Amino acid sequence: MALINWGKSRLLIAYLFGVVFLAITMGLRLALVVKAWRFLEGGLAVFLKMMGTGLLMDLVTLSYLGVPYLGFLVVAPRRLYSSQRFTPFLHAAAIASLYFIIFVAVAEWFFFEEFAARFNFIAVDYLIYTQEVMGNIWESYPLVPILLGILLGTLGIWWPLRKAVGASQRSQESFGMRGLRAAPWLGAALFFGLTARLDWSRVSENNYANEIASNGIYSFVSAFGANQLDYETFYPLLDPEEAMAKLKEQLAEPKAQFLSPDPWDLKRKVANGGPLGGKRLNVALIVVESLSGEFVGALGGGKKLTPRLDRLASHSLVFTNIYATGTRTDRGLEAIVLSVPPTPGRSLVKRPGNENLFSLGWVFKQEGYRVEFIYGGYGYFDNMNYFFSHNGFQVVDRKDFESREITFSNAWGVCDEDLYRKALSRMRESWENREPFFGLILTTSNHRPYTYPEGRVKVPSGKGRKGAVLYTDWAIGHFLEEARKEPWFEDTIFVVVADHCANSAGKAALPVDRYRIPLLIYAPKWVGPGRVETLGSQMDLAPTLLGLLGVDYTSKFLGRDLLGMSPEEGRAFMGTYQKLGYLRGERLVVLDVRKPPAHYLFVPGKRDLKPLDPHAEIAQEAISFYQGAYLSHRRGLDKWEAQKNTARADN
């Protein structure tokens, strides 16, 4: 009681709430330490650094959050603040503030459970796309008990503090004294505003430790403001002309002829030999949600979750060493459609100025194909409809499904079998119109809340990832069974690739093993079964597919035809929103903000990365790709309109 009455200052309530905030955030941090304990390294020293740095990041966040409230406490006239009519508003504000603090802590716990990270770009997207996200949360978690629990916790903390609210109204301190007592807080906010950075929380080479040392609110605001990072400001550089020239060297291949010696001109005529079998074959490109390589038995996964895909693989061309470029669907789509490495910040799918880029859609459209993006959800999510409709595709999404075509749906969209049934009808219509068909089909079922039609697999709907993967596998197999009944089946190439892995968390900042995904091509009449071990990336899919089809075209793609590369030329690209990885053999080069390139040894099957001495040539390769991609996009060199000499225009 003496503490509550100490000073008789209305400012005391702000400092008490600050103590509550720090207690909750530090309690969450301890809980996350327990949750991630088996992944943490460094013992007591790293633990102390996590907790000490975490407290500092919490103080930074608190200093910002408290400024509006503190300012009100200082400037509010005594007549207003001490009024009995104002008392309910003060208590309501106190309860709302406590509820917010606890709600954020609980949300961070579940977010960390899903992504092994504090709030980041994913959380920003979740805030923007509320319809799908709220539906997903409602279907995935017991939301009512959780919210009621937060309310009870809020009231439990507010009850002993309520007297402090009343005491603050009886304060007789002057305006000047209130300002003096607020000065330490305001000074801290000013100091941290000038000095604080997110990388203060980097306490270790262990990514779990760095995330735990951070503060989720601070990370969220940082992510919201870092929609795009200027490569030339933050990352290692070569001379721009040197970077473009070196990038051009790495894109050289026997069947491609550059159209100009200018290092800034990446256009090259690719001679793939003409249409396979003299026909323009249909293409069904299935991009599967969250299908990690570790799930697929044909890639060595031991979980036995993909029996149909494993049987299909024995009749397919299987690429066994392929890595996703990122951890989100939009990043995978960017790489597959545009054949570019990940750039810092958000993917091009979500950025302004992403119209009429050189894309796989435009290449197929130029070849006379009917080109469609087929999605079972609403394509405004992640800006997909805008991106695809402005880059050569006709969009078919959930709004184009008639009610009779939907047998099951959840927050993310219709189930996979309904999606494939729609794709079959679109392909059938294209065949009847004598148009070759290219369809990019994006699935949703292998995603929380993991719900799907009952009776398809042994695991009941909504019971977790295992059942969702089994259903995803079943739906692909069923789709191909139905496709075999169609007259166009023999002249169709089926491609199955993942958008990203199910879990990208790891001790390393770029856990390479968590980026490995399946890629297989099935066309029994045209493509013989086999295994391609060459290291590759999602961005290599477009040139590889066009090479296999025998399409001659003028290219601006930054990927390579994996079937035309020697194994030692293989490389892969992967990134987060800030870190950019370049894997060559067993050497991983990581480019990070305001840091020199870091080099690590990656051994497939092992999740630890061991530091290596720098290798200048490989570092320059990494820089040239990422800097070159940035320069190309910034100068508009990756636009479709810039292409003048196309294969069909020459005929």
Coordinates of all heavy atoms in Angstrom, one line a residue, residues 286-367:
I286 N 1.6 -27.7 -60.8 CA 1.0 -27.8 -59.5 C 2.0 -27.3 -58.5 O 3.0 -27.9 -58.3 CB 0.5 -29.2 -59.2 CG1 -0.4 -29.8 -60.3 CG2 -0.2 -29.2 -57.8 CD1 -0.6 -31.3 -60.1
V287 N 1.6 -26.2 -57.9 CA 2.4 -25.6 -56.8 C 1.8 -26.0 -55.5 O 0.7 -25.5 -55.2 CB 2.6 -24.1 -56.9 CG1 3.5 -23.5 -55.8 CG2 3.2 -23.7 -58.3
V288 N 2.4 -26.8 -54.7 CA 1.8 -27.4 -53.5 C 2.2 -26.6 -52.3 O 3.4 -26.4 -52.0 CB 2.2 -28.9 -53.4 CG1 1.4 -29.5 -52.2 CG2 1.9 -29.7 -54.7
E289 N 1.2 -26.3 -51.5 CA 1.4 -25.6 -50.2 C 2.2 -26.4 -49.3 O 1.9 -27.5 -48.9 CB 0.1 -25.2 -49.6 CG 0.1 -24.7 -48.2 CD 0.7 -23.3 -48.1 OE1 0.5 -22.5 -49.0 OE2 1.5 -23.1 -47.1
S290 N 3.4 -25.8 -48.8 CA 4.2 -26.3 -47.7 C 4.6 -27.8 -47.8 O 4.6 -28.5 -46.8 CB 3.4 -26.1 -46.4 OG 3.0 -24.8 -46.2
L291 N 4.9 -28.3 -49.0 CA 5.3 -29.7 -49.1 C 6.8 -29.8 -49.0 O 7.6 -29.7 -49.9 CB 4.9 -30.2 -50.4 CG 5.0 -31.7 -50.6 CD1 4.2 -32.5 -49.6 CD2 4.6 -32.1 -52.0
S292 N 7.3 -30.0 -47.7 CA 8.7 -30.1 -47.5 C 9.3 -31.4 -48.1 O 8.6 -32.4 -48.2 CB 9.0 -30.2 -45.9 OG 8.5 -29.0 -45.3
G293 N 10.6 -31.3 -48.5 CA 11.2 -32.4 -49.0 C 11.3 -33.6 -48.1 O 11.2 -34.8 -48.5
E294 N 11.3 -33.3 -46.8 CA 11.4 -34.4 -45.8 C 10.1 -35.2 -45.7 O 10.1 -36.3 -45.1 CB 11.7 -33.8 -44.4 CG 10.6 -32.9 -43.8 CD 11.0 -32.3 -42.5 OE1 11.8 -32.9 -41.8 OE2 10.5 -31.2 -42.1
F295 N 9.0 -34.7 -46.2 CA 7.7 -35.4 -46.2 C 7.7 -36.5 -47.3 O 6.9 -37.4 -47.3 CB 6.6 -34.5 -46.5 CG 6.3 -33.5 -45.4 CD1 5.7 -32.3 -45.6 CD2 6.8 -33.7 -44.1 CE1 5.5 -31.4 -44.6 CE2 6.6 -32.8 -43.1 CZ 5.9 -31.6 -43.3
V296 N 8.6 -36.3 -48.4 CA 8.4 -37.1 -49.6 C 9.4 -38.3 -49.5 O 10.6 -38.1 -49.5 CB 8.7 -36.2 -50.8 CG1 8.6 -37.0 -52.1 CG2 7.8 -35.0 -50.9
G297 N 8.8 -39.5 -49.6 CA 9.7 -40.7 -49.5 C 10.6 -40.8 -50.6 O 11.8 -41.3 -50.5
A298 N 10.2 -40.3 -51.8 CA 11.1 -40.4 -53.0 C 12.4 -39.6 -52.8 O 13.4 -39.8 -53.6 CB 10.4 -40.0 -54.3
L299 N 12.3 -38.6 -51.9 CA 13.5 -37.8 -51.6 C 14.2 -38.2 -50.3 O 15.1 -37.5 -49.8 CB 13.1 -36.3 -51.5 CG 12.5 -35.7 -52.7 CD1 12.2 -34.2 -52.4 CD2 13.5 -35.8 -53.9
G300 N 13.9 -39.4 -49.9 CA 14.5 -39.9 -48.7 C 13.8 -39.7 -47.4 O 14.3 -40.1 -46.3
G301 N 12.6 -39.0 -47.4 CA 11.8 -38.8 -46.2 C 11.3 -40.1 -45.7 O 10.8 -40.9 -46.4
G302 N 11.4 -40.2 -44.4 CA 11.0 -41.5 -43.7 C 9.7 -41.4 -43.1 O 9.3 -42.4 -42.3
K303 N 8.9 -40.4 -43.4 CA 7.6 -40.3 -42.6 C 6.4 -41.0 -43.3 O 5.3 -41.1 -42.8 CB 7.3 -38.8 -42.5 CG 8.3 -38.1 -41.7 CD 7.9 -36.6 -41.4 CE 8.9 -35.9 -40.5 NZ 8.6 -34.5 -40.2
K304 N 6.6 -41.5 -44.5 CA 5.6 -42.3 -45.3 C 4.3 -41.5 -45.4 O 3.2 -42.1 -45.1 CB 5.4 -43.6 -44.6 CG 6.6 -44.5 -44.5 CD 6.4 -45.8 -43.9 CE 7.6 -46.7 -43.9 NZ 7.4 -48.0 -43.2
L305 N 4.4 -40.3 -45.8 CA 3.2 -39.4 -45.9 C 2.8 -39.2 -47.4 O 1.7 -38.6 -47.6 CB 3.5 -38.1 -45.3 CG 3.8 -38.1 -43.8 CD1 4.1 -36.7 -43.3 CD2 2.6 -38.7 -43.0
T306 N 3.6 -39.7 -48.3 CA 3.3 -39.4 -49.7 C 3.3 -40.6 -50.6 O 4.1 -40.7 -51.6 CB 4.3 -38.3 -50.3 OG1 5.6 -38.8 -50.1 CG2 4.1 -37.0 -49.6
P307 N 2.6 -41.7 -50.3 CA 2.6 -42.9 -51.1 C 2.3 -42.7 -52.5 O 3.0 -43.4 -53.4 CB 1.6 -43.8 -50.4 CG 0.7 -42.9 -49.6 CD 1.6 -41.7 -49.2
R308 N 1.4 -41.9 -52.9 CA 1.0 -41.7 -54.3 C 2.1 -40.9 -55.0 O 2.4 -41.2 -56.2 CB -0.3 -41.0 -54.4 CG -1.5 -41.8 -53.8 CD -2.8 -41.3 -54.2 NE -3.9 -42.2 -53.8 CZ -5.1 -42.3 -54.3 NH1 -5.3 -41.6 -55.4 NH2 -6.0 -43.1 -53.9
L309 N 2.6 -39.9 -54.4 CA 3.7 -39.1 -55.0 C 4.9 -40.0 -55.2 O 5.7 -39.9 -56.2 CB 4.1 -37.9 -54.2 CG 3.4 -36.6 -54.5 CD1 3.9 -35.5 -53.6 CD2 3.7 -36.2 -56.0
D310 N 5.2 -40.9 -54.2 CA 6.3 -41.8 -54.3 C 6.2 -42.8 -55.5 O 7.2 -43.0 -56.2 CB 6.5 -42.6 -53.0 CG 6.9 -41.7 -51.9 OD1 7.3 -40.5 -52.1 OD2 6.7 -42.1 -50.7
R311 N 5.0 -43.3 -55.7 CA 4.7 -44.1 -56.9 C 4.9 -43.3 -58.2 O 5.4 -43.8 -59.2 CB 3.3 -44.8 -56.8 CG 3.2 -45.9 -55.7 CD 2.0 -46.7 -55.9 NE 0.8 -45.9 -55.8 CZ 0.1 -45.7 -54.6 NH1 0.6 -46.3 -53.5 NH2 -1.0 -45.0 -54.5
L312 N 4.3 -42.1 -58.1 CA 4.4 -41.3 -59.3 C 5.9 -41.0 -59.7 O 6.3 -40.9 -60.8 CB 3.7 -39.9 -59.1 CG 3.6 -38.9 -60.2 CD1 2.8 -39.5 -61.4 CD2 3.1 -37.6 -59.8
A313 N 6.7 -40.8 -58.6 CA 8.1 -40.5 -58.8 C 8.9 -41.5 -59.6 O 9.8 -41.2 -60.4 CB 8.8 -40.2 -57.5
S314 N 8.5 -42.8 -59.4 CA 9.1 -43.9 -60.1 C 8.9 -43.8 -61.6 O 9.6 -44.5 -62.4 CB 8.7 -45.2 -59.6 OG 7.3 -45.4 -59.8
H315 N 7.9 -43.0 -62.1 CA 7.6 -42.9 -63.5 C 7.9 -41.4 -64.0 O 7.5 -41.0 -65.1 CB 6.1 -43.2 -63.8 CG 5.7 -44.6 -63.3 ND1 6.1 -45.7 -64.0 CD2 5.0 -45.0 -62.2 CE1 5.6 -46.8 -63.4 NE2 5.0 -46.4 -62.3
S316 N 8.6 -40.7 -63.1 CA 8.8 -39.2 -63.4 C 10.3 -38.9 -63.5 O 11.1 -39.6 -63.0 CB 8.1 -38.4 -62.3 OG 6.7 -38.7 -62.2
L317 N 10.5 -37.7 -64.0 CA 11.8 -37.1 -63.9 C 11.9 -36.4 -62.5 O 11.2 -35.4 -62.4 CB 12.1 -36.1 -65.1 CG 13.5 -35.6 -65.2 CD1 14.5 -36.7 -65.4 CD2 13.5 -34.5 -66.3
V318 N 12.7 -36.8 -61.6 CA 12.7 -36.3 -60.3 C 14.0 -35.5 -60.0 O 15.1 -36.0 -60.3 CB 12.6 -37.4 -59.2 CG1 12.6 -36.9 -57.8 CG2 11.4 -38.3 -59.5
F319 N 13.8 -34.3 -59.6 CA 15.0 -33.4 -59.3 C 15.1 -33.5 -57.7 O 14.3 -33.0 -57.0 CB 14.7 -32.0 -59.7 CG 14.5 -31.8 -61.2 CD1 13.4 -32.2 -61.9 CD2 15.6 -31.4 -62.0 CE1 13.2 -32.0 -63.2 CE2 15.5 -31.2 -63.4 CZ 14.3 -31.6 -64.0
T320 N 16.2 -34.1 -57.3 CA 16.4 -34.4 -55.9 C 17.1 -33.4 -55.1 O 17.2 -33.6 -53.9 CB 17.2 -35.8 -55.9 OG1 18.5 -35.5 -56.4 CG2 16.5 -36.9 -56.6
N321 N 17.6 -32.3 -55.7 CA 18.4 -31.4 -54.9 C 17.9 -29.9 -55.2 O 18.7 -29.1 -55.5 CB 19.9 -31.6 -55.4 CG 20.8 -31.2 -54.3 OD1 20.5 -30.9 -53.1 ND2 22.1 -31.1 -54.6
I322 N 16.6 -29.7 -55.0 CA 16.0 -28.4 -55.3 C 15.7 -27.7 -54.0 O 15.2 -28.3 -53.0 CB 14.8 -28.6 -56.1 CG1 15.1 -29.3 -57.4 CG2 14.1 -27.2 -56.4 CD1 16.1 -28.5 -58.3
Y323 N 15.9 -26.4 -53.9 CA 15.6 -25.6 -52.7 C 14.7 -24.4 -53.1 O 14.8 -23.8 -54.1 CB 17.0 -25.1 -52.2 CG 17.8 -26.2 -51.6 CD1 18.6 -27.0 -52.4 CD2 17.7 -26.4 -50.2 CE1 19.4 -28.0 -51.9 CE2 18.5 -27.5 -49.7 CZ 19.3 -28.3 -50.5 OH 20.0 -29.3 -50.0
A324 N 13.8 -24.2 -52.1 CA 12.9 -23.0 -52.2 C 13.7 -21.7 -52.0 O 14.7 -21.7 -51.3 CB 11.8 -23.1 -51.2
T325 N 13.3 -20.6 -52.6 CA 14.0 -19.4 -52.4 C 13.5 -18.6 -51.2 O 14.2 -17.7 -50.7 CB 13.7 -18.4 -53.6 OG1 12.3 -18.2 -53.7 CG2 14.2 -19.0 -54.9
G326 N 12.4 -19.1 -50.5 CA 12.0 -18.4 -49.4 C 11.1 -19.2 -48.5 O 11.0 -20.4 -48.7
T327 N 10.3 -18.6 -47.6 CA 9.5 -19.3 -46.6 C 8.0 -19.0 -46.8 O 7.3 -19.4 -45.9 CB 10.0 -19.0 -45.2 OG1 9.9 -17.5 -45.0 CG2 11.4 -19.4 -45.0
R328 N 7.7 -18.2 -47.8 CA 6.3 -17.8 -48.0 C 5.9 -18.2 -49.4 O 6.7 -18.2 -50.4 CB 6.1 -16.3 -47.8 CG 6.4 -15.8 -46.4 CD 5.5 -16.4 -45.3 NE 4.1 -16.3 -45.7 CZ 3.4 -15.1 -45.6 NH1 3.9 -14.0 -45.3 NH2 2.1 -15.1 -45.9
T329 N 4.6 -18.3 -49.6 CA 4.0 -18.7 -50.9 C 4.4 -17.6 -52.0 O 4.8 -18.0 -53.1 CB 2.5 -18.9 -50.9 OG1 2.2 -19.9 -49.9 CG2 1.9 -19.2 -52.2
D330 N 4.3 -16.4 -51.6 CA 4.5 -15.3 -52.6 C 6.0 -15.3 -53.1 O 6.3 -15.0 -54.3 CB 4.1 -14.0 -52.1 CG 4.9 -13.6 -50.8 OD1 4.9 -14.3 -49.9 OD2 5.6 -12.5 -50.8
R331 N 6.9 -15.7 -52.2 CA 8.3 -15.8 -52.6 C 8.5 -17.0 -53.6 O 9.2 -16.9 -54.6 CB 9.2 -16.0 -51.4 CG 10.6 -15.8 -51.6 CD 11.0 -14.4 -52.1 NE 11.3 -13.5 -51.1 CZ 11.6 -12.2 -51.3 NH1 11.7 -11.8 -52.6 NH2 11.9 -11.4 -50.4
G332 N 7.8 -18.1 -53.3 CA 8.0 -19.2 -54.2 C 7.4 -18.9 -55.6 O 7.9 -19.2 -56.6
L333 N 6.2 -18.2 -55.6 CA 5.6 -17.8 -56.9 C 6.5 -16.9 -57.7 O 6.6 -17.0 -58.9 CB 4.2 -17.2 -56.6 CG 3.2 -18.1 -56.0 CD1 1.9 -17.3 -55.7 CD2 2.8 -19.3 -57.0
E334 N 7.1 -15.9 -57.0 CA 8.0 -15.0 -57.6 C 9.1 -15.7 -58.3 O 9.5 -15.5 -59.5 CB 8.6 -14.1 -56.5 CG 9.8 -13.2 -57.0 CD 10.5 -12.6 -55.8 OE1 11.1 -13.4 -55.0 OE2 10.4 -11.4 -55.6
A335 N 9.7 -16.7 -57.7 CA 10.8 -17.5 -58.3 C 10.4 -18.3 -59.4 O 11.1 -18.4 -60.5 CB 11.5 -18.4 -57.2
I336 N 9.2 -19.0 -59.3 CA 8.8 -19.9 -60.3 C 8.3 -19.1 -61.6 O 8.6 -19.5 -62.7 CB 7.6 -20.7 -59.8 CG1 8.1 -21.7 -58.7 CG2 6.9 -21.5 -60.9 CD1 7.0 -22.4 -57.9
V337 N 7.6 -18.0 -61.4 CA 7.0 -17.3 -62.5 C 8.0 -16.3 -63.2 O 8.1 -16.2 -64.4 CB 5.8 -16.5 -62.0 CG1 5.3 -15.6 -63.1 CG2 4.7 -17.5 -61.6
L338 N 8.9 -15.7 -62.3 CA 9.8 -14.7 -62.9 C 11.2 -15.2 -63.0 O 12.0 -14.5 -63.7 CB 9.8 -13.4 -61.9 CG 8.5 -12.7 -61.7 CD1 8.6 -11.6 -60.8 CD2 7.8 -12.3 -63.0
S339 N 11.6 -16.3 -62.4 CA 12.9 -16.8 -62.5 C 13.9 -15.8 -62.0 O 14.9 -15.5 -62.7 CB 13.3 -17.3 -63.9 OG 14.5 -18.0 -63.9
V340 N 13.7 -15.4 -60.7 CA 14.6 -14.4 -60.1 C 15.0 -14.9 -58.7 O 14.2 -15.6 -58.1 CB 14.0 -13.0 -60.0 CG1 13.9 -12.4 -61.4 CG2 12.7 -13.0 -59.3
P341 N 16.1 -14.5 -58.1 CA 16.4 -14.8 -56.8 C 15.6 -13.9 -55.8 O 15.1 -12.9 -56.2 CB 17.9 -14.5 -56.7 CG 18.2 -13.4 -57.7 CD 17.2 -13.7 -58.8
P342 N 15.6 -14.2 -54.5 CA 14.8 -13.4 -53.6 C 15.6 -12.1 -53.4 O 16.8 -12.1 -53.2 CB 14.8 -14.2 -52.3 CG 16.0 -15.1 -52.4 CD 16.1 -15.4 -53.9
T343 N 14.8 -11.0 -53.4 CA 15.4 -9.7 -53.1 C 15.1 -9.3 -51.7 O 14.1 -9.7 -51.1 CB 14.9 -8.6 -54.1 OG1 13.5 -8.8 -54.2 CG2 15.5 -8.8 -55.5
P344 N 15.9 -8.4 -51.1 CA 15.6 -8.0 -49.7 C 14.2 -7.4 -49.5 O 13.7 -6.7 -50.4 CB 16.7 -6.9 -49.4 CG 17.8 -7.2 -50.4 CD 17.1 -7.7 -51.6
G345 N 13.6 -7.6 -48.4 CA 12.3 -7.1 -48.1 C 11.2 -8.0 -48.7 O 11.4 -9.3 -48.7
R346 N 10.1 -7.5 -49.2 CA 9.0 -8.3 -49.7 C 9.3 -8.8 -51.1 O 10.1 -8.2 -51.9 CB 7.7 -7.5 -49.7 CG 7.2 -7.4 -48.3 CD 5.9 -6.6 -48.3 NE 5.0 -7.0 -47.3 CZ 3.8 -6.5 -47.1 NH1 3.3 -5.6 -48.0 NH2 3.0 -7.0 -46.2
S347 N 8.6 -9.8 -51.5 CA 8.7 -10.3 -52.9 C 8.1 -9.3 -53.9 O 7.3 -8.5 -53.5 CB 8.0 -11.7 -53.0 OG 6.5 -11.5 -53.1
L348 N 8.5 -9.5 -55.1 CA 8.0 -8.7 -56.2 C 6.5 -8.8 -56.4 O 5.8 -8.0 -56.9 CB 8.7 -9.0 -57.5 CG 10.2 -8.7 -57.5 CD1 10.8 -9.0 -58.9 CD2 10.5 -7.2 -57.2
V349 N 5.9 -10.0 -56.0 CA 4.5 -10.2 -56.1 C 3.7 -9.1 -55.3 O 2.6 -8.7 -55.8 CB 4.1 -11.6 -55.5 CG1 2.6 -11.8 -55.5 CG2 4.8 -12.7 -56.4
K350 N 4.3 -8.6 -54.2 CA 3.6 -7.6 -53.4 C 4.0 -6.2 -53.6 O 3.4 -5.3 -53.0 CB 3.8 -8.0 -51.9 CG 3.1 -9.3 -51.5 CD 3.4 -9.6 -50.1 CE 2.8 -10.9 -49.7 NZ 3.1 -11.2 -48.3
R351 N 5.0 -6.0 -54.4 CA 5.5 -4.6 -54.5 C 4.9 -3.8 -55.6 O 4.4 -4.4 -56.6 CB 7.0 -4.6 -54.8 CG 7.9 -5.1 -53.6 CD 9.3 -4.9 -53.9 NE 10.2 -5.7 -53.0 CZ 11.5 -5.8 -53.2 NH1 12.1 -5.1 -54.1 NH2 12.2 -6.5 -52.3
P352 N 4.8 -2.5 -55.5 CA 4.3 -1.7 -56.6 C 5.3 -1.8 -57.8 O 6.5 -2.1 -57.6 CB 4.3 -0.3 -56.0 CG 5.3 -0.3 -54.8 CD 5.2 -1.7 -54.3
G353 N 4.8 -1.5 -58.9 CA 5.7 -1.6 -60.1 C 6.0 -3.0 -60.6 O 7.0 -3.2 -61.3
N354 N 5.1 -3.9 -60.3 CA 5.4 -5.3 -60.7 C 4.6 -5.7 -61.9 O 4.4 -6.9 -62.2 CB 5.1 -6.3 -59.5 CG 3.6 -6.3 -59.1 OD1 2.7 -5.7 -59.8 ND2 3.2 -7.0 -58.1
E355 N 4.1 -4.8 -62.7 CA 3.4 -5.1 -63.9 C 4.3 -5.4 -65.1 O 5.4 -4.8 -65.2 CB 2.5 -4.0 -64.3 CG 1.5 -3.5 -63.2 CD 2.1 -2.5 -62.2 OE1 3.3 -2.1 -62.4 OE2 1.4 -2.0 -61.3
N356 N 3.9 -6.3 -65.9 CA 4.6 -6.6 -67.2 C 6.0 -6.9 -67.0 O 6.9 -6.4 -67.8 CB 4.4 -5.4 -68.2 CG 3.0 -5.1 -68.6 OD1 2.3 -6.1 -68.9 ND2 2.5 -3.9 -68.5
L357 N 6.3 -7.7 -66.0 CA 7.7 -8.2 -65.9 C 7.9 -9.4 -66.8 O 6.9 -10.1 -67.2 CB 7.9 -8.7 -64.4 CG 7.7 -7.6 -63.4 CD1 7.9 -8.1 -62.0 CD2 8.7 -6.4 -63.6
F358 N 9.1 -9.7 -67.1 CA 9.4 -10.9 -68.0 C 9.0 -12.1 -67.2 O 9.7 -12.4 -66.2 CB 10.9 -10.9 -68.4 CG 11.2 -11.9 -69.4 CD1 11.2 -11.5 -70.8 CD2 11.4 -13.2 -69.1 CE1 11.4 -12.5 -71.8 CE2 11.6 -14.2 -70.1 CZ 11.7 -13.8 -71.4
S359 N 8.0 -12.8 -67.6 CA 7.5 -13.9 -66.9 C 7.2 -15.2 -67.7 O 7.1 -15.1 -68.9 CB 6.1 -13.5 -66.2 OG 5.1 -13.4 -67.2
L360 N 7.1 -16.3 -67.0 CA 6.8 -17.5 -67.7 C 5.4 -17.4 -68.3 O 5.2 -18.0 -69.4 CB 6.8 -18.7 -66.6 CG 6.6 -20.1 -67.1 CD1 7.7 -20.5 -68.1 CD2 6.6 -21.1 -66.0
G361 N 4.5 -16.6 -67.7 CA 3.2 -16.5 -68.3 C 3.2 -15.8 -69.7 O 2.6 -16.2 -70.6
W362 N 4.0 -14.7 -69.8 CA 4.1 -14.1 -71.1 C 4.8 -15.0 -72.1 O 4.4 -14.9 -73.3 CB 5.0 -12.8 -71.0 CG 4.3 -11.6 -70.3 CD1 4.7 -11.0 -69.2 CD2 3.0 -11.1 -70.6 NE1 3.8 -10.0 -68.8 CE2 2.8 -10.0 -69.7 CE3 2.1 -11.3 -71.6 CZ2 1.6 -9.2 -69.7 CZ3 0.9 -10.5 -71.6 CH2 0.7 -9.5 -70.7
V363 N 5.8 -15.8 -71.7 CA 6.4 -16.6 -72.7 C 5.4 -17.6 -73.3 O 5.3 -17.8 -74.5 CB 7.6 -17.4 -72.1 CG1 8.2 -18.4 -73.1 CG2 8.7 -16.4 -71.7
F364 N 4.6 -18.3 -72.4 CA 3.6 -19.2 -72.9 C 2.5 -18.5 -73.7 O 2.1 -19.1 -74.7 CB 3.0 -20.0 -71.7 CG 3.8 -21.2 -71.3 CD1 4.5 -21.3 -70.1 CD2 3.9 -22.3 -72.2 CE1 5.2 -22.4 -69.7 CE2 4.6 -23.4 -71.8 CZ 5.2 -23.5 -70.6
K365 N 2.1 -17.3 -73.3 CA 1.1 -16.6 -74.0 C 1.6 -16.3 -75.4 O 0.8 -16.4 -76.4 CB 0.8 -15.3 -73.2 CG -0.6 -14.7 -73.6 CD -0.9 -13.6 -72.7 CE -2.3 -13.0 -73.0 NZ -3.4 -14.0 -72.5
Q366 N 2.8 -15.9 -75.5 CA 3.4 -15.6 -76.8 C 3.4 -16.8 -77.7 O 3.3 -16.7 -78.9 CB 4.9 -15.1 -76.6 CG 5.7 -14.9 -77.9 CD 7.1 -14.5 -77.5 OE1 7.4 -13.3 -77.5 NE2 7.9 -15.5 -77.2
E367 N 3.6 -18.0 -77.1 CA 3.6 -19.3 -77.8 C 2.2 -19.7 -78.2 O 2.0 -20.8 -78.8 CB 4.3 -20.3 -77.0 CG 5.8 -20.1 -76.9 CD 6.5 -20.2 -78.2 OE1 6.3 -21.1 -79.0 OE2 7.3 -19.3 -78.5

